[in-house]
C-alpha cells in the first residue's frame, strides 16, 4: 500500500470513529509505529485530525485535553473515590485468594481500605499501591515491572503485559478514564490500554471502580468492552437510566 492510500484509510477511520491509535494502525497496515506517526503528521498538517499522545482524534472531538497527572486526579472527587474504595472491599477474595490492582487514584483508595488482617496475594503495576500494600502484615505483594509512566506511576509496556498474560487471579480491580456503551472502557494512552486489557484477561472477576463523571466519556484507546465487566462500583451521581442499562447487560452496579 502506498503512503497516500494508507493516509486516506486513516483519514476515513478518524472521520467514522473519531479516534485512532498508533499501535492499532501499525498492526492493521503492517508498518512501524514511526511510519504511522509520520502519516498522522501529514494528516494533522492538512487539518484532517489532531495529534494526541498515542494516536489522533477528529478535530471536532471535545476530548482533546492533556491527560491530568496523578496529583490532579487525586484531588478530583476525593470523597466519592474514598466511598468507592470502601465499597470495593465487598469484592475482595476470601482469605488466601489473589487480587490484581490496576493503577489509578480510585483503585488506590480501594487498596488503602484493605483490612490489615485480610490474607491476600496481590499483584499490581502501581508503585503507590505496592508501597502501601507491602506494609500490610498479611499481604504478599508482587509489583509487576516495566516502564513507569510519570503521569500515573504505573508500569506499562511489553514486559508488563508479558507478565500479566501468565497470571490468573480471583479478581481484578480496574480504573478507567472513560466508559461508554459503544467504546467500552477507555484511556488516553495505548500502553496503559494494553496493560489494562491484559489485566482483564488475567481475572476470573473484573470489578471496575469509576466515579460517575467517567460515564459517557470516551478516550483514545478502548481496552475492554462492557461485556468484559462483572461489577461496577460507582457513586450516587450515576444516572438511574444508565444504571438500568448496565444492569440489563448483566453487570452488577454498586452505588457507594
Amino acid at each position: 500500500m502506498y503512503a497516500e492510500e494508507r493516509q486516506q484509510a486513516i483519514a476515513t477511520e478518524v472521520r467514522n470513529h473519531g479516534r485512532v491509535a498508533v499501535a492499532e494502525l501499525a498492526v492493521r497496515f503492517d508498518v512501524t509505529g514511526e511510519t504511522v506517526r509520520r502519516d498522522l503528521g501529514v494528516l494533522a498538517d492538512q487539518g484532517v485530525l489532531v495529534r494526541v499522545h498515542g494516536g489522533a482524534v477528529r478535530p471536532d472531538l471535545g476530548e482533546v485535553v492533556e491527560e491530568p497527572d496523578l496529583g490532579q486526579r487525586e484531588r478530583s472527587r476525593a470523597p466519592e473515590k474514598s466511598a468507592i474504595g470502601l465499597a470495593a472491599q465487598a469484592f475482595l477474595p476470601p482469605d488466601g485468594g489473589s487480587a490484581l490492582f490496576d493503577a489509578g487514584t480510585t483503585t488506590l483508595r480501594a487498596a488503602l481500605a484493605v483490612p490489615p488482617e485480610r490474607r491476600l496475594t496481590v499483584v499490581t503495576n502501581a508503585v503507590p499501591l505496592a508501597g502501601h500494600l507491602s506494609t500490610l502484615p498479611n499481604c504478599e505483594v508482587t509489583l509487576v515491572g516495566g516502564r513507569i509512566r510519570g503521569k500515573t506511576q504505573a508500569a506499562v509496556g511489553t514486559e508488563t503485559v508479558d507478565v500479566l498474560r501468565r497470571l490468573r487471579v480471583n479478581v481484578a480491580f480496574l480504573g478507567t478514564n472513560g466508559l461508554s456503551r459503544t467504546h467500552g472502557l477507555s484511556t488516553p494512552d495505548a500502553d496503559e490500554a494494553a496493560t489494562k486489557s491484559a489485566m482483564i484477561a488475567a481475572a476470573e472477576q473484573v470489578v471496575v471502580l469509576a466515579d460517575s463523571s467517567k460515564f459517557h466519556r470516551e478516550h483514545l484507546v478502548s481496552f475492554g468492552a462492557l461485556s468484559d465487566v462483572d461489577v461496577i462500583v460507582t457513586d450516587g451521581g450515576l444516572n438511574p437510566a444508565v444504571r438500568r442499562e448496565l444492569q440489563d447487560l448483566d453487570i452488577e452496579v454498586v452505588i457507594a
Side-chain angles (χ1 to χ4, degrees), residues 2-71:
Y2 292 110
E4 292 80 3
E5 295 174 306
R6 191 174 55 248
Q7 290 161 16
Q8 183 59 47
I10 294 171
T12 300
E13 183 77 9
V14 172
R15 281 195 299 271
N16 290 342
H17 300 286
R19 66 198 78 239
V20 291
V22 170
E24 293 175 358
L25 292 174
V27 172
R28 176 177 169 183
F29 296 114
D30 193 24
V31 295
T32 66
E34 184 57 37
T35 297
V36 173
R37 282 186 280 272
R38 284 198 297 268
D39 289 338
L40 296 181
V42 171
L43 294 170
D45 291 341
Q46 296 172 359
V48 172
L49 50 78
V50 176
R51 295 290 307 276
V52 295
H53 183 71
V57 298
R58 201 170 55 219
D60 63 337
L61 199 62
E63 173 225 317
V64 185
V65 294
E66 184 178 356
E67 182 183 4
D69 61 27
L70 196 64

Side-chain angles (χ1 to χ4, degrees), residues 142-155:
T142 297
L143 175 61
V144 181
R147 177 178 65 86
I148 303 297
R149 288 195 72 218
K151 281 187 176 294
T152 60
Q153 289 295 289

Side-chain angles (χ1 to χ4, degrees), residues 14-193:
V14 172
R15 281 195 299 271
N16 290 342
H17 300 286
R19 66 198 78 239
V20 291
V22 170
E24 293 175 358
L25 292 174
V27 172
R28 176 177 169 183
F29 296 114
D30 193 24
V31 295
T32 66
E34 184 57 37
T35 297
V36 173
R37 282 186 280 272
R38 284 198 297 268
D39 289 338
L40 296 181
V42 171
L43 294 170
D45 291 341
Q46 296 172 359
V48 172
L49 50 78
V50 176
R51 295 290 307 276
V52 295
H53 183 71
V57 298
R58 201 170 55 219
D60 63 337
L61 199 62
E63 173 225 317
V64 185
V65 294
E66 184 178 356
E67 182 183 4
D69 61 27
L70 196 64
Q72 291 172 297
R73 288 185 289 115
E74 179 64 32
R75 293 187 294 271
S76 174
R77 302 177 68 86
E80 290 88 347
K81 292 176 180 178
S82 293
I84 291 168
L86 284 171
Q89 304 309 300
F91 300 96
L92 284 174
D95 267 359
S98 55
L100 199 161
F101 282 84
D102 181 20
T105 54
T106 311
T107 50
L108 175 59
R109 300 303 176 94
L112 291 172
V114 171
E117 67 274 11
R118 184 62 65 92
R119 187 164 51 86
L120 292 172
T121 297
V122 175
V123 179
T124 184
N125 69 323
V127 175
L129 274 75
H132 168 71
L133 290 169
S134 65
T135 68
L136 301 183
N138 295 309
C139 269
E140 180 181 322
V141 181
T142 297
L143 175 61
V144 181
R147 177 178 65 86
I148 303 297
R149 288 195 72 218
K151 281 187 176 294
T152 60
Q153 289 295 289
V156 297
T158 55
E159 179 184 349
T160 312
V161 171
D162 286 345
V163 172
L164 292 170
R165 282 177 176 162
R166 297 195 295 270
L167 300 181
R168 191 66 172 166
V169 297
N170 297 127
V171 60
F173 295 99
L174 268 71
T176 185
N177 298 78
L179 186 155
S180 74
R181 184 156 191 167
T182 55
H183 199 50
L185 309 169
S186 59
T187 188
D189 184 79
D191 286 340
E192 292 256 13

